[in-house]
Amino acid sequence: MFKFITLLKRFIPPYKKYVFLSLLFNLLTTIFSLFSFGAIIPLLRILFKTAEPVKVYQVWTWNDKFKVIADGIENNLTYTIQHFIESVSPSTALICIGSFLVVMTAFKVGTAYLGAHFLIPIRTGVLRDLRNQLYKKIISLPIGFFTAERKGDIMSRMTGDVNEVEASIMSSLDMVFKNPIMIVIYLIVMFVMSWKLTLFVLVLLPFSGYLIGKIGKSLKRRSTEGQEQTGELLSQIEETLGGLRVVKAFNAEHKLEARFSLLNEKTRKTFTRLNRRYNLAHPVSELLGTIVIAILLWFGGVLILDPNGAVNTKGTIDAAQFIFYIVIFYSIIAPSKELSKASYSIQKGMASLERVDMILMSENTIKDPEEPQIIHSFSDKIEFRNLGFKYETDWVLKDINLIVPKGKTVALVGQSGSGKSTLVDLLPRYYDAVEGEVLMDGVNIKNYKVHDIRSQMGNVNQEAILFNDTFFNNIAFGVENATLEQVIEAAKIANAHDFISATENGYETSIGDRGGKLSGGQRQRVSIARAILKNPPILILDEATSALDTESEKLVQDALENLMLNRTTLVVAHRLSTIKRADEICVMHEGKIVERGKHDDLVALNGYYKKLCDMQSF
């Protein structure tokens, strides 16, 4: 419950107005409930003609003791009712008391509705805030975070766990805000009526609370396990959809079906045990409530009746008041049940919230400096100085020293796993160097804001990353207030204008999920147009043509040459034909630069680069 209070402190402050209104109307609901229940006493006395001492009006002041004030209020209310009954016929009194009961009930249900009405903006608002925070956090976390996490598990936390928080915690707010008020006020009235009976009741309640708490703790453990298994399910689905072509090519459908079915059955059993425990809340609380009422009836009877079974006139409570007491106590059972059920739901939801918090509380290791330097414009050079980097234990880059002058093209070649892509990923600070430093115009890039560094760069990757949107929005992505004329001009430079214009709606045509309606070469040219429109001074090309056929490569290569014109460019390439005209070619092997120079010079060395060239035909 402490964690639940912490949750409220985190998310409720923007909705203080709604919290106040909801608490106010729930308080009024409880007061109107007491008035409606109070009509039972005179009804019973009229119907059963129970004998009662005639009351006289009792004068009291606010300076009197609490007991005197409470007795005075009760006495004067009874006096007023007696006087009213004596002045009219019993049937008329019954009609009036019944009408009073209806009016009080109308007020009670009206205020109860308003109490719930003002909770709805809190429920929906907190869920909106939680989703926004989670999405914002995911966008801000470094790429390294996602290499250690499964996509399916992250998706599960953003969907299943967030929905569980809404279903389990937010849906319990009504019970948490309303029921404690009712229980406290009802208990105060019960103490005023008979402190002996009420103390007796309170002795019995801790036992039931202990049972409910035991079930709730096991429920939380099962809930965490269930959400983790749901994340594994989503991961398998995501992997299957991404690799469906390979699955079919290798006739591996049955293998994946068996693996998925096994995990699905394991998840089913977990949630079966979870829901069975969850459904224990109602029967356990009802049974305990019935046991308490049975014992209460016995103890109350002892107070009212003498040993011979006659009414004890010296008792602290009469029969009509005892029935009113039972009605109030029974009215506590319903909110107590709901509160116990809410505690189950909260325990279940807190497990999901902890999984969401694993993302929200994750530390962003790529941080801006407290007093950042300003990048006016890139003017001199990029330098990798004494650079070393490792993801976990093994060094991926060692002793890298490289200078990229402004306006020059430097290419990185080498076998797979030699560290080429990792090296260029250090420039936009997707990762930070473990040793050494990366400098831009002689300043360590850690002294600049991450946003400012990346604003100087444009990327074209091996996989053209496009969004399920129009050509216009994909090309204008990341550029504020881009005009159609600017987008068309960028598309023309990227050799993309002709095929875009040939589509049904031109630049307003949707390209499908990840550009699925386009060929590989078309997707790559759209991503090049996007980089052209951004017009960055520094360009990073990470194997931009390696996945293309010869014809598409020619069109893309022409577009790239237009893009690289008068820009500082870092190129990662497998196809050496694309970088023959680079100002400098760096050959990487096992995380080190082993050769560097122009194409002809490196061929003449007859070393690593010559071997790479011999393995490829130009």
Side-chain angles (χ1 to χ4, degrees):
M1 190 56 68
F2 175 76
K3 290 183 178 179
F4 177 69
I5 294 171
T6 304
L7 171 72
L8 296 184
K9 289 181 180 179
R10 280 172 58 187
F11 294 107
I12 294 300
Y15 307 97
K16 288 178 181 177
K17 177 181 73 174
Y18 295 110
V19 172
F20 170 76
L21 289 171
S22 179
L23 291 174
L24 173 63
F25 284 112
N26 285 328
L27 176 62
L28 291 174
T29 301
T30 306
I31 293 171
F32 289 133
S33 296
L34 287 173
F35 276 114
S36 60
F37 295 153
I40 292 173
I41 296 176
L43 277 173
L44 290 173
R45 286 171 177 165
I46 292 171
L47 290 173
F48 298 109
K49 299 178 180 177
T50 56
E52 182 189 5
V54 177
K55 301 285 186 181
V56 294
Y57 191 81
Q58 179 178 327
V59 179
W60 56 270
T61 66
W62 292 108
N63 294 324
D64 293 330
K65 293 182 179 179
F66 176 78
K67 176 66 175 172
V68 175
I69 295 174
D71 289 343
I73 292 173
E74 181 190 1
N75 177 86
N76 294 344
L77 282 174
T78 306
Y79 168 80
T80 303
I81 293 169
Q82 281 181 342
H83 183 72
F84 172 73
I85 293 172
E86 290 170 359
S87 62
V88 298
S89 64
S91 59
T92 303
L94 285 174
I95 292 173
C96 293
I97 294 171
S99 300
F100 174 79
L101 179 62
V102 170
V103 171
M104 288 297 105
T105 302
F107 279 127
K108 181 184 78 171
V109 296
T111 52
Y113 165 75
L114 289 173
H117 172 83
F118 287 112
L119 270 180
I120 292 173
I122 303 176
R123 285 183 57 178
T124 55
V126 168
L127 262 293
R128 176 203 62 196
D129 297 343
L130 185 58
R131 288 193 186 102
N132 284 342
Q133 287 182 22
L134 195 55
Y135 190 80
K136 183 179 179 181
K137 185 69 176 186
I138 285 175
I139 292 292
S140 69
L141 283 171
I143 289 175
F145 174 83
F146 302 98
T147 58
E149 297 285 341
R150 297 192 307 266
K151 287 183 183 177
D153 192 50
I154 292 172
M155 291 167 60
S156 173
R157 295 182 194 197
M158 288 195 68
T159 54
D161 286 299
V162 169
N163 288 336
E164 184 62 51
V165 170
E166 198 281 334
S168 299
I169 298 180
M170 294 298 106
S171 62
S172 303
L173 282 181
D174 184 36
M175 292 179 272
V176 171
F177 280 13
K178 178 179 70 175
N179 295 340
I181 294 174
M182 296 180 67
I183 292 171
V184 169
I185 292 178
Y186 286 164
L187 280 174
I188 290 172
V189 173
M190 288 164 63
F191 263 111
V192 170
M193 292 186 67
S194 175
W195 62 269
K196 292 181 181 178
L197 267 176
T198 307
L199 281 178
F200 185 72
V201 168
L202 293 179
V203 169
L204 299 176
L205 290 181
F207 174 70
S208 59
Y210 171 77
L211 287 180
I212 291 170
K214 290 285 287 184
I215 298 173
K217 286 181 180 178
S218 64
L219 194 72
K220 182 181 176 182
R221 288 194 299 271
R222 291 290 181 191
S223 183
T224 303
E225 183 182 344
Q227 294 304 329
E228 288 173 353
Q229 290 170 359
T230 302
E232 290 181 33
L233 275 179
L234 284 173
S235 290
Q236 286 198 19
I237 293 170
E238 195 268 336
E239 285 178 358
T240 303
L241 292 176
L244 203 55
R245 191 178 296 271
V246 175
V247 172
K248 293 182 180 294
F250 285 86
N251 291 322
E253 290 93 341
H254 294 300
K255 183 177 181 180
L256 289 186
E257 284 174 10
R259 188 177 72 167
F260 183 84
S261 179
L262 186 67
L263 179 57
N264 200 19
E265 176 63 18
K266 185 179 177 182
T267 306
R268 183 194 73 84
K269 288 180 179 178
T270 299
F271 278 101
T272 297
R273 292 192 294 269
L274 179 68
N275 289 322
R276 281 174 175 168
R277 279 205 170 95
Y278 181 73
N279 288 330
L280 269 178
H282 180 73
V284 167
S285 60
E286 184 166 349
L287 175 63
L288 292 172
T290 303
I291 292 172
V292 170
I293 281 192
I295 297 173
L296 185 64
L297 286 171
W298 165 77
F299 190 73
V302 171
L303 293 178
I304 294 170
L305 302 174
D306 63 18
N308 298 319
V311 174
N312 182 6
T313 57
K314 296 181 181 180
T316 58
I317 188 171
D318 64 27
Q321 288 173 333
F322 179 62
I323 292 176
F324 176 54
Y325 184 95
I326 291 293
V327 169
I328 294 177
F329 176 73
Y330 204 81
S331 298
I332 284 182
I333 292 179
S336 297
K337 282 183 192 175
E338 290 179 355
L339 204 58
S340 67
K341 198 169 184 179
S343 71
Y344 284 130
S345 293
I346 289 168
Q347 291 281 2
K348 188 179 176 187
M350 289 306 293
S352 292
L353 186 64
E354 286 177 6
R355 280 171 46 81
V356 170
D357 274 344
M358 285 177 67
I359 295 178
L360 289 179
M361 303 303 174
S362 296
E363 183 182 1
N364 190 345
T365 54
I366 309 297
K367 297 178 180 178
D368 285 330
E370 293 183 3
E371 297 181 1
Q373 293 184 236
I374 305 299
I375 302 178
H376 297 289
S377 63
F378 174 61
S379 59
D380 185 17
K381 64 182 178 182
I382 297 167
E383 182 179 359
F384 299 91
R385 183 184 296 171
N386 302 324
L387 200 68
F389 179 80
K390 57 183 177 181
Y391 290 104
E392 292 180 357
T393 55
D394 297 329
W395 289 96
V396 180
L397 298 172
K398 294 171 285 186
D399 302 322
I400 299 293
N401 286 280
L402 175 63
I403 294 175
V404 185
K406 181 182 179 182
K408 300 298 183 180
T409 297
V410 173
L412 304 174
V413 299
Q415 65 193 32
S416 295
S418 59
K420 305 182 300 295
S421 295
T422 301
L423 180 59
V424 297
D425 282 346
L426 296 179
L427 183 56
R429 290 194 72 191
Y430 295 149
Y431 306 93
D432 275 338
V434 177
E435 289 183 353
E437 53 188 350
V438 182
L439 302 108
M440 185 185 296
D441 291 339
V443 178
N444 192 320
I445 59 172
K446 291 182 180 180
N447 295 327
Y448 295 130
K449 283 186 176 181
V450 173
H451 177 273
D452 292 346
I453 296 169
R454 294 173 184 171
S455 67
Q456 300 290 309
M457 301 173 192
N459 291 67
V460 180
N461 302 306
Q462 178 179 1
E463 180 186 358
I465 301 171
L466 302 176
F467 302 93
N468 192 356
D469 208 332
T470 63
F471 282 111
F472 178 90
N473 288 335
N474 270 282
I475 295 173
F477 187 80
V479 177
E480 297 292 335
N481 305 317
T483 65
L484 180 60
E485 290 74 17
Q486 291 172 326
V487 169
I488 291 173
E489 183 62 27
K492 286 180 178 179
I493 297 172
N495 294 329
H497 177 68
D498 290 341
F499 76 80
I500 293 175
S501 300
T503 59
E504 182 179 358
N505 298 312
Y507 283 84
E508 293 303 319
T509 301
S510 177
I511 65 173
D513 186 30
R514 298 187 181 184
K517 296 180 181 180
L518 308 178
S519 69
Q522 288 173 334
R523 287 197 295 270
Q524 199 64 290
R525 280 178 277 164
V526 170
S527 68
I528 292 170
R530 180 170 61 197
I532 290 171
L533 185 62
K534 185 180 180 182
N535 193 26
I538 301 169
L539 188 62
I540 298 173
L541 305 179
D542 192 352
E543 301 183 18
T545 62
S546 63
L548 302 179
D549 59 80
T550 304
E551 183 179 355
S552 296
E553 181 186 352
K554 178 66 172 66
L555 290 168
V556 171
Q557 190 61 39
D558 290 343
L560 286 174
E561 288 178 3
N562 292 331
L563 175 61
M564 293 163 63
L565 198 63
N566 299 320
R567 297 183 202 278
T568 307
T569 308
L570 266 171
V571 183
V572 175
H574 273 142
R575 294 189 181 182
L576 304 184
S577 59
T578 62
I579 48 93
K580 289 176 68 175
R581 291 194 292 270
D583 296 294
E584 185 179 21
I585 299 172
C586 295
V587 183
M588 298 191 67
H589 180 70
E590 294 182 352
K592 294 183 177 181
I593 297 176
V594 292
E595 294 176 355
R596 65 177 75 198
K598 289 185 176 291
H599 170 73
D600 294 336
D601 297 333
L602 290 174
V603 171
L605 281 176
N606 197 26
Y608 285 101
Y609 186 76
K610 179 66 165 57
K611 290 179 182 178
L612 291 172
C613 289
D614 291 342
M615 287 187 287
Q616 296 188 20
S617 59
F618 290 94

